[in-house]
């Protein structure tokens, strides 16, 4: 593979590029889906190709093709340079990459049991058992049970002398129960919604989720939700479970701290950010309890790698320390705007996409509270679990999230269940209202395999460490 | 980029290589180029070529699917065998009706040539867009995208169809610290794209949006421009018009066929058959797409189907299959709201105190049956007073049942526009809705 990548880089150089890198990506995906007693999908897909990124007179060009060989790689590189020459017709300040030592080496993610070698019968048996357990609850009329596996093997080389080889396996699974009655549809999911749980791991992760063992509880809660009252419009003290805190971090801290967004590079599609580059070191993002890191070294996280997709080594960096903004998610192109080098956040969705500034594992660091103590300390409030819907404005300020289920807190105890609670707020005041975060015992890394960004659209696999947390004075029951 | 004939040959060859009771192959070839700009300069510029083959193997009523973009003989054979192996292990599905038999289909005319609209031509178009903003002290961002695609579908029962699809799209956001404006284009022929005019449209809206003011949350009469209507229709189509969601009781149309669900001014069809359609004329089982009336004068008529859901519901196959395997059921990808008879000025003129919305941002479903949506306005939100657009407004959050909002429709625009949405495109007019709840605003 080195020969092919070197052919691409050399062809780009001969065509006039001052910088070039090439990535070959070989990926496989398997998806099995059982719904309402029927196997809806057994699918295996493979994709293989090369992408070449070049700088010509400080302007970018990128081309990609599925033919992977020395001659075709050189042709792709020449096409990328031709595109970069067109970019140079409408250019501003030339792109200058932050310095980086050329990376070399091999990195492999953790995987105990290769899921692609596990017999299909075994996978179907696990899913069918979970589906049957969900359907044992008569109020549950629609079910969805799935597992999925992704394997990626990629090679990266650059005109600066970098050459790295990386591979990893991701495994995921989840269950959903829908209870439908008249004009009411309610959902309950495990381990979380929107694709279930995901890790860089093998089949052992899926069996460890115990889908069938959790199905009766999930189905019973779905049934109970059908007759549960709606969450009333009120301002309450809100305790949020770890999975929803993870999504809250994703939308209102992860995205607005992407430096390309801050610089306006994503303005037309995903939007900009309420954060400015001058805010580093001074902006109070949240309360003193809020410390957030970006870490691409956590074993088993979807946000981990050896090097990012421009060859910068994995690392841990602070975005927020005790409530104050201290850093941003960066790339070699953007980092100089804040006087730093890249903290390794450039990630591409396959061979046919350019790397963009993406989240790695962006985590709300754990606090000190035990969950039971946190509820007991909340006199009047609401505890909510599992995301149902999400929306945030183009500067990542005004958000509104819905969850599958909530329980009223009265006198420090969980009480009546409420259906589909939503809550809304503004990013800085919401994080300023965070007065308690549960301890490391309640903290886990939540894989999020569906983060969309960029044009053409890219879907990144990212992650967030989070524990349940409490927020004071939050508006819930919007529109009710 | 292969020709349609070459793609059909490949699909037919792969069908022959698949040793199963029945086989279906979908070949998708694409050549895409996208020039992106921000801060008045080109910041990303990409192109890709790909071709993938997806094989659905059927043994009895057991089904397996595999796909690859490696086209050497051994890889293609391995892909076919992977689909067969999966089918051997899959449980029998007694409801599976088998693959569909061929239906008459008229092959489409070749698309307009787009090869001249290369990277330098796109760069010149970006320059024309950017200049209108830069000269007004504004910053422009957006994209110009050229997409050429060939799809071919064959199965062992004789289905053998193919067609090219070409799409040119452009978006422009023009902005400064005090406001922003938006313009977009979607069509088949790059000759129809007028970049300078598009850039000027966005810049004019940005200048008009300067110094937005507050309005209190509450229920307002609104006029939605076509792009805002598209955002609403996108979610109604995704969650409401599939035979699967309908059958499972998860659609707003479930249990309500024949009932008036929205205003009698609203008729919604899915129509890939019209000459102006931008999508494929057949579905991913190779069935010709039918023109389907989903809501007729406000009355729920029925969902779209594919071969599986048509058999389960005992209705006609409307030709709306997604690629196999498909967990979402059939999908309406060529939605239209039929035009009314009002000009945009007339829609606005009918509002005493309300809000004009250019487009929405990050809309999502909170509750599927009433189709309660939440999202933000973006890039041109204005107060309407005494029938005229007056002050720009800060962006507003809405939380609103889309069905109840459409039930309050009091005016439909006579002019329609194609708008890109997440899963395709829609053809929509502007609408005046008499009840629309805004529940918050951006600071």
């Amino acid at each position: 593979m080195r020969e092919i990548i070197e052919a691409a880089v050399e062809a780009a150089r001969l065509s006039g590029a001052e910088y070039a890198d090439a990535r070959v990506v070989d990926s496989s995906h398997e998806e099995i889906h059982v719904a309402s007693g029927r196997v809806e999908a057994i699918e295996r897909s493979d994709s293989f190709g090369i992408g070449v990124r070049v700088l010509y007179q400080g302007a970018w060009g990128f081309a990609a093709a599925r033919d992977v060989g020395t001659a075709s790689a050189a042709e792709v590189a020449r096409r990328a340079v031709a595109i970069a020459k067109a970019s140079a017709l409408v250019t501003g300040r030339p792109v200058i990459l932050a310095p980086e030592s050329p990376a070399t080496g091999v990195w492999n993610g953790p995987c105990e049991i290769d899921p692609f070698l596990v017999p299909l019968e075994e996978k179907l048996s696990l899913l069918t058992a979970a589906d049957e357990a969900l359907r044992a609850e008569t109020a549950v009329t629609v079910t969805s049970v799935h597992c999925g596996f992704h394997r990626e093997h990629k090679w990266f080389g650059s005109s600066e002398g970098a050459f790295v080889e990386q591979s990893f396996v991701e495994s995921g699974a989840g269950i959903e129960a829908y209870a439908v009655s008249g004009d009411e549809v309610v959902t309950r999911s495990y381990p979380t919604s929107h694709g279930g749980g995901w890790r860089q791991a093998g089949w052992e992760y899926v069996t460890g989720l115990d889908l069938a063992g959790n199905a009766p509880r999930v189905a019973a809660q779905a049934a109970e939700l059908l007759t549960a009252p709606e969450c009333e419009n009120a301002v309450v003290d809100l305790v949020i479970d770890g999975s929803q805190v993870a999504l809250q971090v994703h939308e209102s801290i992860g995205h607005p701290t992407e430096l390309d967004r801050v610089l306006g590079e994503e303005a037309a599609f995903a939007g900009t950010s309420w954060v400015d580059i001058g805010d580093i070191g001074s902006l109070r993002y949240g309360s003193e309890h809020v410390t957030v890191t970006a870490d691409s070294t956590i074993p088993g996280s979807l946000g981990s790698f050896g090097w990012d997709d421009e060859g910068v080594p994995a690392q841990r960096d602070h975005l927020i320390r005790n409530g104050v903004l201290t850093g941003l998610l960066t790339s070699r192109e953007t980092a100089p705007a804040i006087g730093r080098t890249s903290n390794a956040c450039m990630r591409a969705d396959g061979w046919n996409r350019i790397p963009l500034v993406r989240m790695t594992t962006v985590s709300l660091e754990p606090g000190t509270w035990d969950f039971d103590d946190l509820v007991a300390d909340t006199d009047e409030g609401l505890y909510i679990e599992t995301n149902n819907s999400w929306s945030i404005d183009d500067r990542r300020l005004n958000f509104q999230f819905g969850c599958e289920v909530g329980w009223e807190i009265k006198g420090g105890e969980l009480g009546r269940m409420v259906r589909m609670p939503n809550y809304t707020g503004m990013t800085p005041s919401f994080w300023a209202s965070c007065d308690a975060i549960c301890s490391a015992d309640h903290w886990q890394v939540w894989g999020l395999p569906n983060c969309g960004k960029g044009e053409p659209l890219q879907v990144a696999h990212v992650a967030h460490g989070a524990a349940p947390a409490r927020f004071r004075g939050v508006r819930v029951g919007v529109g009710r | 980029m292969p020709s349609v004939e070459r793609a059909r040959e490949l699909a037919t060859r792969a069908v022959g290589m698949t040793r199963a009771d029945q086989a279906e192959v979908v070949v998708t070839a694409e050549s895409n180029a996208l020039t992106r700009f921000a801060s008045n300069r080109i910041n990303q510029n990409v192109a890709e070529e790909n071709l993938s083959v997806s094989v659905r193997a059927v043994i009895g009523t057991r089904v397996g699917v595999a796909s690859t973009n490696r086209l050497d003989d051994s890889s293609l054979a391995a892909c076919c065998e992977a689909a067969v192996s999966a089918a051997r292990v899959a449980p029998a599905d007694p409801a599976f009706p088998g693959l569909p038999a061929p239906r008459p289909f008229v092959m489409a005319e070749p698309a307009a040539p787009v090869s001249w609209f290369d990277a330098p031509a796109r760069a010149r178009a970006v320059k024309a867009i950017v200049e209108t903003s830069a000269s007004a002290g504004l910053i422009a961002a957006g994209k110009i995208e050229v997409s050429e695609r060939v799809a071919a579908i064959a199965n062992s029962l004789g289905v053998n169809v193919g067609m090219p699809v070409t799409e040119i799209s452009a978006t422009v956001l023009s902005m400064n610290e005090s406001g922003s404006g938006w313009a977009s284009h979607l069509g088949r022929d790059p000759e129809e794209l007028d970049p300078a005019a598009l850039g000027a449209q966005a810049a004019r809206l940005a200048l008009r949006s300067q110094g937005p003011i507050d309005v209190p949350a509450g229920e307002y009469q609104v006029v939605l421009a076509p792009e805002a209507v598209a955002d609403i229709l996108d979610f109604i189509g995704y969650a409401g018009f599939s035979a699967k969601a309908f059958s499972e009781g998860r659609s707003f149309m479930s249990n309500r066929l024949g009932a008036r669900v929205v205003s009698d001014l609203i008729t919604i069809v899915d129509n890939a058959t019209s000459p102006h359609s931008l999508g494929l004329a057949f579905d991913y089982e190779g069935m010709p797409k039918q023109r389907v009336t989903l809501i007729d004068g406000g009355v729920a008529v029925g969902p779209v189907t594919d071969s599986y859901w048509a058999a389960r519901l005992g209705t006609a196959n409307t030709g709306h299959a997604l690629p196999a395997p498909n967990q979402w059921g059939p999908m309406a990808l060529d939605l239209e709201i039929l035009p009314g008879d009002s000009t945009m000025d007339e829609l606005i003129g009918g509002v005493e105190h309300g809000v004009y919305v250019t487009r929405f941002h990050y809309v999502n479903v909170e509750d599927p049956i009433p189709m309660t949506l939440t999202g933000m306005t973006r890039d041109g939100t204005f107060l309407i007073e005494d029938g005229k657009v007056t002050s720009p407004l800060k962006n507003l959050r809405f939380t609103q049942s889309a069905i109840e909002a459409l039930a309050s429709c009091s005016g439909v625009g006579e002019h329609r526009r194609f708008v890109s949405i997440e899963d395709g495109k829609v053809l929509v007019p502007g609408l005046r809705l008499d009840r629309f709840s805004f529940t918050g605003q951006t600071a």
Side-chain angles (χ1 to χ4, degrees), chain B residues 164-373:
Chain B
V165 176
T166 300
E167 200 171 284
I168 311 296
S169 62
T171 60
V172 186
L173 170 73
S174 181
M175 64 179 182
N176 62 11
E177 288 295 317
S178 305
S180 60
W182 177 259
S184 72
H185 170 87
L186 180 62
R188 282 188 292 200
D189 187 348
E191 296 278 9
E192 296 168 355
L193 172 65
D194 183 342
L198 202 67
Q201 182 187 342
R204 273 196 306 273
L205 196 54
L207 292 173
R208 198 171 179 184
S209 296
Q210 299 297 299
I213 62 170
D214 296 322
V215 289
E219 188 172 272
Y220 288 83
Q221 223 181 348
V222 294
V223 172
L224 305 185
E227 297 239 8
V229 173
D231 288 325
I232 302 289
L233 186 58
D234 183 7
F235 283 89
I236 294 176
Y238 169 74
F241 290 144
S242 167
K244 185 181 185 194
F246 171 80
S247 173
E248 293 176 345
R250 296 186 292 116
S251 160
F252 72 93
M253 293 209 299
S254 300
N255 311 312
R256 299 182 76 182
L257 291 192
R260 182 173 302 285
V261 290
V262 295
S263 161
D264 59 7
L265 297 176
I266 300 287
T267 293
I268 302 175
V269 302
D270 189 80
N271 186 13
T273 65
S274 68
H276 55 247
S277 173
L278 293 173
L280 286 173
F282 50 79
D283 72 3
Y284 286 92
E285 294 180 318
M287 295 294 99
K289 289 184 176 178
Q290 309 296 304
R291 183 185 188 279
V292 179
T293 301
L294 301 151
I295 291 182
D296 188 5
V299 174
V301 178
V304 296
T305 62
D306 55 17
S307 65
Y308 179 86
W309 285 98
R312 268 191 70 159
L313 297 178
T315 60
N317 181 354
T318 63
H320 288 81
L322 293 181
N326 171 15
Q327 305 155 32
W328 298 274
M331 205 57 72
L333 299 177
D334 299 277
L335 287 169
E336 299 182 15
I337 295 180
L338 297 192
D341 56 6
S342 300
T343 64
M344 185 54 81
D345 284 345
E346 288 168 344
L347 292 178
I348 294 168
V351 176
E352 189 178 332
H353 181 74
V355 176
Y356 176 89
V357 180
T358 298
R359 63 187 290 234
F360 291 116
H361 176 80
Y362 221 138
V363 179
N364 215 327
V365 181
E366 288 204 338
D367 193 352
I369 297 284
M371 192 63 64
T372 302
L373 306 177

Side-chain angles (χ1 to χ4, degrees), chain A residues 21 23 53 154 156 307-311 346-348 355:
Chain A
D21 61 38
R23 271 179 308 114
R53 185 178 72 145
K154 59 185 175 183
F156 168 89
W307 301 266
D308 74 356
D309 284 329
E310 52 181 11
M346 284 292 265
R347 307 179 70 189

Side-chain angles (χ1 to χ4, degrees), chain A residues 26 38 40 42 44-46 48 62 64 87 90 251 266-267 352-353 389-391 393 398 400 422, chain B residues 36 41-43 45 47-49 65-67 69-70 93 244 308 362 364-366 378 397 399 442:
Chain A
D26 184 1
R38 175 186 175 227
E40 281 194 334
I42 303 177
R44 172 78 180 265
S45 58
D46 301 305
F48 186 48
F62 175 82
S87 299
V90 190
E251 301 289 7
E266 291 287 330
N352 55 350
R353 295 288 182 267
S389 75
W390 64 101
S391 174
D393 73 18
N398 181 311
Q400 185 161 310
N422 65 7
Chain B
R36 219 172 171 204
R41 76 187 206 291
I42 292 175
N43 63 331
N45 208 347
E48 67 165 311
E49 304 273 347
V65 176
S67 64
N69 73 340
R70 297 182 200 239
D93 179 2
K244 185 181 185 194
Y308 179 86
Y362 221 138
N364 215 327
V365 181
E366 288 204 338
R378 185 177 172 181
R397 172 167 294 287
T399 307
T442 285

Side-chain angles (χ1 to χ4, degrees), chain A residues 26-27 31 33 35-36 38-49 59-66 79 82-84 86-93 95 120-121 124 128 141-144 178 180 182-185 230 250-251 255 260-261 263-272 333 351-354 356 388-402 419-420 422-424 426 453-457 478-480, chain B residues 6 30 32 34-52 54 63-71 79 82 85-87 89-91 93 95-96 119-120 122-124 126-127 130 141-143 145 171-173 175 180 182 244 248-251 254-256 308-309 312 324-328 359 361-370 374-379 395 397-399 422 439-443:
Chain A
D26 184 1
S27 64
E31 188 75 28
H33 193 246
S36 307
R38 175 186 175 227
V39 176
E40 281 194 334
I42 303 177
E43 183 185 28
R44 172 78 180 265
S45 58
D46 301 305
S47 185
F48 186 48
W60 285 115
F62 175 82
R66 63 176 188 80
R79 202 179 316 148
I83 290 170
S87 299
L89 297 173
V90 190
T91 189
R93 55 173 174 72
V95 172
L120 205 45
E121 292 91 334
L124 282 166
T128 303
T141 55
V142 179
T143 62
S144 177
Y178 294 83
V180 182
D183 285 347
E184 303 292 345
V185 179
E230 279 196 337
H250 180 90
E251 301 289 7
H255 279 306
D260 57 344
R261 283 185 71 121
L263 295 172
E265 302 291 293
E266 291 287 330
F269 186 62
T272 58
E333 177 184 357
W351 55 269
N352 55 350
R353 295 288 182 267
I354 55 170
L356 299 173
N388 186 44
S389 75
W390 64 101
S391 174
I392 190 164
D393 73 18
D394 57 314
R395 295 180 63 217
R396 301 277 153 174
L397 274 169
N398 181 311
F399 62 81
Q400 185 161 310
F401 294 103
R419 177 160 46 99
M420 289 192 287
N422 65 7
Y423 67 99
T424 191
M426 298 290 281
K453 183 178 177 180
E455 295 175 296
L457 187 68
V478 184
R480 310 286 159 78
Chain B
R6 162 96 174 83
E30 51 194 344
N32 297 320
L34 192 150
T35 301
R36 219 172 171 204
F37 54 100
S39 303
N40 291 341
R41 76 187 206 291
I42 292 175
N43 63 331
Q44 295 167 15
N45 208 347
V46 303
E48 67 165 311
E49 304 273 347
N50 199 6
L51 192 160
S52 64
S54 179
V63 180
V65 176
S67 64
T68 187
N69 73 340
R70 297 182 200 239
L71 300 182
C79 178
S85 297
V89 175
D93 179 2
F96 182 70
R122 294 194 304 279
R124 287 191 292 274
V126 168
K127 198 170 193 320
V130 162
K143 68 159 185 183
E145 184 172 14
T171 60
V172 186
L173 170 73
M175 64 179 182
S180 60
W182 177 259
K244 185 181 185 194
E248 293 176 345
R250 296 186 292 116
S251 160
S254 300
N255 311 312
R256 299 182 76 182
Y308 179 86
W309 285 98
R312 268 191 70 159
N326 171 15
Q327 305 155 32
W328 298 274
R359 63 187 290 234
H361 176 80
Y362 221 138
V363 179
N364 215 327
V365 181
E366 288 204 338
D367 193 352
I369 297 284
T374 189
M376 295 293 300
T377 66
R378 185 177 172 181
D379 305 329
N395 287 327
R397 172 167 294 287
F398 73 94
T399 307
E422 189 162 337
T439 52
Q441 77 173 17
T442 285

Side-chain angles (χ1 to χ4, degrees), chain B residues 58-116:
Chain B
V58 181
I59 299 173
T61 59
R62 303 165 189 268
V63 180
V65 176
S67 64
T68 187
N69 73 340
R70 297 182 200 239
L71 300 182
D72 59 276
D73 287 348
S74 64
S75 297
L76 197 56
C79 178
C80 297
E81 180 52 32
V84 172
S85 297
R88 284 199 195 101
V89 175
D93 179 2
F96 182 70
L99 297 177
R103 288 184 183 174
F105 172 74
V106 179
M107 295 293 175
E109 295 294 318
V114 296
S115 56
W116 66 269

